[in-house]
Amino acid sequence: MIIPRRRFLGSSLFVLGASLLDRLTTPLWAWNERARLDATVAATPASPVQFIDVAERAGLNIPNVWGGVDKKRIIIETKGSGIAFFDYDNDGWLDIYLTNGSRLDQNWAPGKEPTTHLFKNNRDGTFIDVTEKSGLGRSGWQTGVCVGDYDNDGWDDLFCTFWGHNILFHNNGNGTFTDVTRKAGLQQDHGRWGTGCTFFDYDRDGHLDLFVCNFVKLDPDKPLTMDQQSFCQWKGVPTMCGPRGLPGDTNILYRNNGDGTFKDVSEKAGILKPGPRYSITSISYDFDNDGWPDIYVAVDSEPSILFKNNHDGTFTDIAVMAGCAYNDDGHEQAGMGLGVADYDCDGWFDIFKTNFADDTCNLYHNNGDGTFTDLSFDSGVGINNSYVAWGCGFIDYDNDGWSDIVQVNGHVYPEIDHYNFGETFKNPRLVYKNLGNGHFKDVSATMGPGMTAKYSSRGAAFGDFDNDGGMDVLVLNMNELPSLLKNIGGNKQNWIKIKLVGTKCNRTAIGARVRVVTGKHIQMDEVSSGTSVMSQNDLRLHFGLGTVETVDMIEVKWPTTQKLEKFVRVKANQIITIREGDGIVSTMKPHAG
């Protein structure tokens, strides 16, 4: 049993444990920032862990542009997009990729269109915009993003979905990317509304395949004019229509041919059998512990999908029989975002799904027999139903060895602020603390200004951007700057972070499973691509250890061969890299903060 060690933050938070040289060489702006953050923490009561938005100080100065600010007239303006943490240059520090959109009724001057952006981590708490050099800047409505090394050259590539035409960016390994969509066989003749995406190796051949969600059939090449739009009603208020009443679209499975190209195998693999759906976010984990990756898809206003891997190149949707297509009352929900974790440490992956307002999010507990039970109310996460919920994830924010839940929110109708519905367009974030007994507690109000600040948010990504051992949160805010929520105090308890590198399996090691054993407490996670809402988390696996200073055993199960590798008596509070077949090849001490 891991016993949480709670400590309130003192004014010396940022310098405890730092060397004299670190203090003498710290730039003046950083000392000022530390003093400001210390003052903010001191003024916020109750929690030993606080989240502070440092985006502006970090140099994330590109605002999101997505549809109308005061009103939304067509469904594309409401959906928003994802965001990504990923280490594009393999320096061990998380970089940031920001998606972007447009406006329906604005003609941008040449060179002034909103574009996507790549920010390189300077390793000192700041980022620099390297979009121009990278070649990643694109205009248009980019909705989703996922990361994986599809050609096994050692550099993670980027797949981007659009309301329009998706793009596969090949990482050239020199800070630049090349659009290889057509060369890779991923170019489509007609534009579609791509949403979530997931790299995974469904046939375990060592090459990453690609699953792509599509939402509504809304032709981006022939968009309707404003006078062609029809309007619906929500609670008696005129609003844009959809998705109900609009034609849904089908999802796509691309098989990696192993030569840098892909083949659409959707029909052969059974992906088309559920028919058109309003799919938003997809994830891939081995939910039934049979050694083969499955797929779960959050679907808006229709039953969600669980594709069981049949081990022969085909999938079967078992969501209804498994109990994770509907809520506990048997109703369809407006599924948005997904988080996966073994939250109760019983050896089976569970699912958290976010939904629309006037409904609760789902916590599907994996029963270990091929079925799930919706424990939203029993677990304590079903107490909030006034938010339209989007990005979400399981992170152990206080490193006590139990995965907590973070959820970001934002309504789709700005017009709601003019009515007394008890709901607002901009909302705070939510944090549910895992109590270690199957139950969660809403601690949102005590988690600092980064969580209580109100935005209409969409995508969220989770990772340790400053390598200090505390899990941070990156949030896309509709028509505003992003939020970079620094975790202050989470690293006061022990932790270990693991980067996996495949050799026989795919280089990104997507699908590799890690078990961390400390006494009788066993945690589990898998490397995954494309989570939260149409977003990408840190590919490194993070485990809180509480007061434990040495991990008894780390067990890695590699996806292609299913071979187990075990490492015993590993010291806490470090970032280790494990390469398949070669063991622990490097270690990194935490950054002082």
Side-chain angles (χ1 to χ4, degrees):
M1 175 66 70
I2 294 180
I3 302 175
R5 182 182 64 192
R6 306 281 183 185
R7 293 183 181 177
F8 285 91
L9 302 175
S11 60
S12 58
L13 171 68
F14 287 92
V15 296
L16 287 176
S19 68
L20 177 60
L21 179 60
D22 288 337
R23 302 181 196 184
L24 292 176
T25 57
T26 300
L28 180 60
W29 72 261
W31 279 106
N32 292 336
E33 180 69 2
R34 291 175 180 179
R36 183 186 72 80
L37 295 180
D38 283 344
T40 303
V41 170
T44 307
S47 176
V49 177
Q50 300 282 280
F51 285 92
I52 309 297
D53 190 349
V54 298
E56 186 176 359
R57 174 67 265 176
L60 301 181
N61 56 4
I62 300 298
N64 173 258
V65 174
W66 201 274
V69 175
D70 300 319
K71 59 182 178 180
K72 307 290 186 182
R73 294 167 292 180
I74 185 173
I75 190 172
I76 183 62
E77 294 186 275
T78 68
K79 221 58 178 179
S81 57
I83 203 165
F85 267 141
F86 83 116
D87 181 8
Y88 80 92
D89 52 1
N90 283 350
D91 67 351
W93 294 77
L94 288 178
D95 310 297
I96 290 174
Y97 178 78
L98 301 180
T99 60
N100 222 328
S102 188
R103 303 206 197 283
L104 291 173
D105 54 355
Q106 183 165 344
N107 294 319
W108 303 98
K112 300 297 182 181
E113 307 93 339
T115 68
T116 54
H117 282 263
L118 178 66
F119 285 88
K120 175 177 169 53
N121 194 325
N122 294 325
R123 312 184 200 180
D124 62 359
T126 68
F127 294 79
I128 184 171
D129 191 337
V130 295
T131 307
E132 185 174 357
K133 176 185 175 181
S134 72
L136 287 178
R138 289 293 189 278
S139 61
W141 302 81
Q142 189 195 337
T143 46
V145 56
C146 57
V147 171
D149 182 2
Y150 77 91
D151 58 351
N152 287 337
D153 66 353
W155 300 90
D156 285 330
D157 309 297
L158 202 65
F159 186 76
C160 302
T161 62
F162 284 78
W163 181 47
H165 297 269
N166 302 332
I167 300 176
L168 175 63
F169 287 107
H170 177 263
N171 189 334
N172 300 319
N174 60 1
T176 69
F177 291 76
T178 300
D179 180 348
V180 295
T181 312
R182 186 173 297 278
K183 178 181 178 182
L186 298 175
Q187 183 73 30
Q188 297 190 71
D189 294 335
H190 303 287
R192 299 170 74 177
W193 189 345
T195 47
C197 57
T198 306
F199 280 108
F200 73 129
D201 184 5
Y202 77 89
D203 52 2
R204 293 189 353 197
D205 66 352
H207 301 282
L208 287 177
D209 311 299
L210 179 62
F211 185 89
V212 181
C213 295
N214 288 296
F215 185 52
V216 168
K217 288 186 177 180
L218 186 67
D219 192 344
D221 299 321
K222 299 177 181 178
L224 299 178
T225 62
M226 288 301 105
D227 58 1
Q228 292 176 306
Q229 302 302 321
S230 59
F231 289 87
C232 296
Q233 286 194 347
W234 179 77
K235 295 187 176 182
V237 177
T239 63
M240 58 83 196
C241 295
R244 290 187 185 275
L246 299 176
D249 205 347
T250 53
N251 301 319
I252 308 172
L253 176 62
Y254 294 104
R255 183 181 185 276
N256 192 325
N257 296 320
D259 60 0
T261 67
F262 292 82
K263 180 181 180 180
D264 185 341
V265 294
S266 307
E267 184 172 5
K268 178 181 178 181
I271 300 302
L272 302 182
K273 286 185 178 180
R277 295 281 173 94
Y278 306 130
S279 299
I280 294 183
T281 301
S282 58
I283 50 174
S284 177
Y285 284 79
D286 180 6
F287 289 108
D288 53 4
N289 288 351
D290 65 354
W292 295 81
D294 310 299
I295 309 167
Y296 187 79
V297 184
V299 178
D300 190 351
S301 305
E302 295 177 316
S304 289
I305 300 169
L306 175 58
F307 282 119
K308 174 179 170 53
N309 192 322
N310 297 325
H311 313 173
D312 60 1
T314 69
F315 293 82
T316 302
D317 179 13
I318 63 168
V320 174
M321 294 183 61
C324 55
Y326 305 95
N327 67 5
D328 194 39
D329 295 325
H331 294 156
E332 297 173 347
Q333 296 173 287
M336 308 289 191
L338 295 170
V340 172
D342 177 15
Y343 76 85
D344 54 354
C345 296
D346 67 351
W348 300 84
F349 283 120
D350 312 296
I351 301 170
F352 182 77
K353 178 169 70 72
T354 58
N355 298 302
F356 202 81
D358 300 320
D359 199 352
T360 64
C361 297
N362 307 104
L363 182 62
Y364 292 117
H365 176 264
N366 192 327
N367 300 320
D369 60 0
T371 68
F372 293 79
T373 300
D374 187 352
L375 296 181
S376 304
F377 290 100
D378 291 344
S379 66
V381 303
I383 63 174
N384 293 296
N385 67 351
S386 61
Y387 303 131
V388 179
W390 297 90
C392 63
F394 284 94
I395 63 169
D396 186 357
Y397 72 79
D398 55 0
N399 284 333
D400 67 353
W402 298 91
S403 296
D404 312 297
I405 298 173
V406 176
Q407 166 189 324
V408 306
N409 310 292
H411 217 288
V412 298
Y413 308 126
E415 300 90 338
I416 195 175
D417 289 337
H418 302 298
Y419 299 88
N420 187 24
F421 291 151
E423 300 175 25
T424 57
F425 183 62
K426 297 183 179 182
N427 310 130
R429 290 80 188 243
L430 294 178
V431 183
Y432 297 103
K433 176 168 176 52
N434 190 333
L435 302 179
N437 58 3
H439 297 279
F440 291 80
K441 179 181 179 181
D442 183 352
V443 295
S444 313
T446 70
M447 298 304 298
M451 289 299 175
T452 57
K454 296 181 178 181
Y455 296 91
S456 186
S457 301
R458 295 297 186 266
F462 304 92
D464 182 4
F465 81 89
D466 50 3
N467 284 344
D468 68 350
M471 288 293 285
D472 310 302
V473 185
L474 177 67
V475 185
L476 183 141
N477 302 311
M478 183 168 280
N479 285 312
E480 296 192 64
L481 292 173
S483 295
L484 180 60
L485 307 184
K486 177 177 170 57
N487 179 325
I488 301 176
N491 61 1
K492 294 294 113 176
Q493 299 209 78
N494 299 319
W495 54 275
I496 193 161
K497 196 182 304 291
I498 302 170
K499 177 179 173 59
L500 298 178
V501 179
T503 54
K504 294 181 179 179
C505 75
N506 66 90
R507 296 298 176 269
T508 315
I510 290 170
R513 177 176 293 195
V514 172
R515 297 168 73 242
V516 170
V517 180
T518 50
K520 295 182 179 180
H521 190 63
I522 302 176
Q523 301 179 66
M524 178 179 75
D525 203 356
E526 284 183 2
V527 182
S528 62
S529 167
T531 51
S532 183
V533 157
M534 305 175 288
S535 297
Q536 177 66 55
N537 297 334
D538 186 355
L539 289 162
R540 302 174 299 182
L541 303 181
H542 180 99
F543 298 90
L545 302 175
T547 60
V548 174
E549 297 181 351
T550 301
V551 177
D552 293 330
M553 183 180 70
I554 297 174
E555 178 186 273
V556 182
K557 185 178 183 181
W558 300 99
T560 297
T561 64
Q562 297 293 289
K563 180 180 179 181
L564 292 177
E565 294 186 2
K566 298 181 180 181
F567 309 89
V568 298
R569 308 299 296 168
V570 180
K571 292 294 183 181
N573 302 323
Q574 59 176 335
I575 304 169
I576 66 173
T577 299
I578 300 175
R579 187 163 59 223
E580 184 178 10
D582 297 324
I584 299 174
V585 294
S586 69
T587 62
M588 179 189 297
K589 293 182 178 180
H591 187 61

